[in-house]
Amino acid sequence: KFTIIAVDPPGWGRSRPPVRAYNKDLYSNDVDCYYKLMKHLGYDKFHIIGWSDGAIAGAWMAATHPDAVDRMAVNGILWYLYPKTLYVLKSTRNVEGWGKDRLECCMRAYDSKEDLQKLWDRHLKFCDYFNAYFPQDGKVSDYVKITCPMLILHGDRDPMSTIEHPEAYMKHIKSAKLHRFPNGNHDLHQRYSASYKKLVEQFLLN
């Protein structure tokens, strides 16, 4: 039913080198790459599915290129790095402490744990500046431009993307609707893959 195009953002996974450029232009640079890629592949209009940082980039894409995005489904999306969110992120600093499955999955795209650790250290440093780079007022002025239908899937037990995050998007994006997983975590798309797939598929085909 779909052609799926999966991307590693610039500086992540196999989209290296160069190293990821962490600054206030991070998401606009990502979106520029994604948009040019889709145009190069011959797609003028497309759906977006995004998780966590990819969900933020997806929302950025829908705001920047509203005519190109037909529908968008996201989960684990962040609005602002509230103190609790930042605390949970910082608790993942040591990649050796990640779950076995998650670490093994990541190692398919990295040469060594040292490479992954260096990148994750830089990502967490970026998180310290996230709120300064992307103030709430700026996000509001950008995200009100989103016109495509938006499905936000939320895990009520997600320690990072707590309910305040999707609620903020719901407040400012008129086309957004929320579906909650009472026992879902940040990785609900993996843990509840069958129901997640069914919900997203129905939404995109509607």
Side-chain angles (χ1 to χ4, degrees):
K1 296 176 182 177
F2 302 97
T3 296
I4 298 175
I5 298 167
V7 296
D8 273 338
W12 279 108
R14 295 188 177 93
S15 293
R16 300 171 300 131
V19 297
R20 190 151 173 77
Y22 281 113
N23 52 49
K24 63 181 178 61
D25 297 320
L26 177 78
Y27 296 115
S28 57
N29 288 338
D30 284 354
V31 165
D32 186 54
C33 287
Y34 301 157
Y35 185 71
K36 288 177 178 177
L37 170 66
M38 297 305 284
K39 295 289 283 187
H40 174 75
L41 295 175
Y43 296 98
D44 293 319
K45 204 169 184 66
F46 44 84
H47 301 308
I48 289 176
I49 300 176
W51 169 52
S52 199
D53 223 37
I56 299 173
W60 208 283
M61 172 74 86
T64 308
H65 302 286
D67 293 338
V69 182
D70 194 9
R71 287 175 172 258
M72 173 172 53
V74 298
N75 66 292
I77 194 167
L78 301 177
W79 172 266
Y80 192 75
L81 289 197
Y82 303 103
K84 181 181 178 181
T85 309
L86 190 58
Y87 174 80
V88 173
L89 277 165
K90 291 294 184 73
S91 72
T92 68
R93 181 176 297 280
N94 185 359
V95 301
E96 290 283 1
W98 292 3
K100 180 182 177 182
D101 290 344
R102 181 184 179 191
L103 189 56
E104 287 182 351
C105 183
C106 287
M107 291 314 300
R108 298 173 190 168
Y110 296 94
D111 297 325
S112 67
K113 289 180 183 177
E114 289 74 18
D115 284 346
L116 178 59
Q117 184 66 67
K118 288 178 181 177
L119 177 56
W120 193 242
D121 285 341
R122 294 182 68 249
H123 182 76
L124 293 182
K125 185 66 175 177
F126 160 74
C127 290
D128 287 331
Y129 297 94
F130 184 92
N131 294 337
Y133 287 155
F134 312 109
Q136 295 197 52
D137 290 347
K139 285 196 283 287
V140 170
S141 63
D142 285 329
Y143 290 155
V144 293
K145 301 173 186 175
I146 295 175
T147 57
C148 71
M150 179 181 187
L151 174 63
I152 303 175
L153 299 115
H154 173 72
D156 284 344
R157 295 189 178 183
D158 188 335
M160 283 188 286
S161 178
T162 48
I163 190 62
E164 294 91 340
H165 296 273
E167 283 180 342
Y169 283 91
M170 293 286 293
K171 179 180 178 180
H172 300 292
I173 301 173
K174 294 180 180 179
S175 60
K177 65 178 183 177
L178 176 65
H179 183 94
R180 298 171 71 166
F181 288 72
N183 295 312
N185 208 310
H186 198 59
D187 61 352
L188 66 84
H189 59 296
Q190 296 170 318
R191 193 165 299 182
Y192 299 95
S193 58
S195 53
Y196 173 91
K197 176 177 178 289
K198 183 178 180 180
L199 281 166
V200 172
E201 190 174 85
Q202 289 176 341
F203 171 70
L204 297 182
L205 291 173
N206 190 344

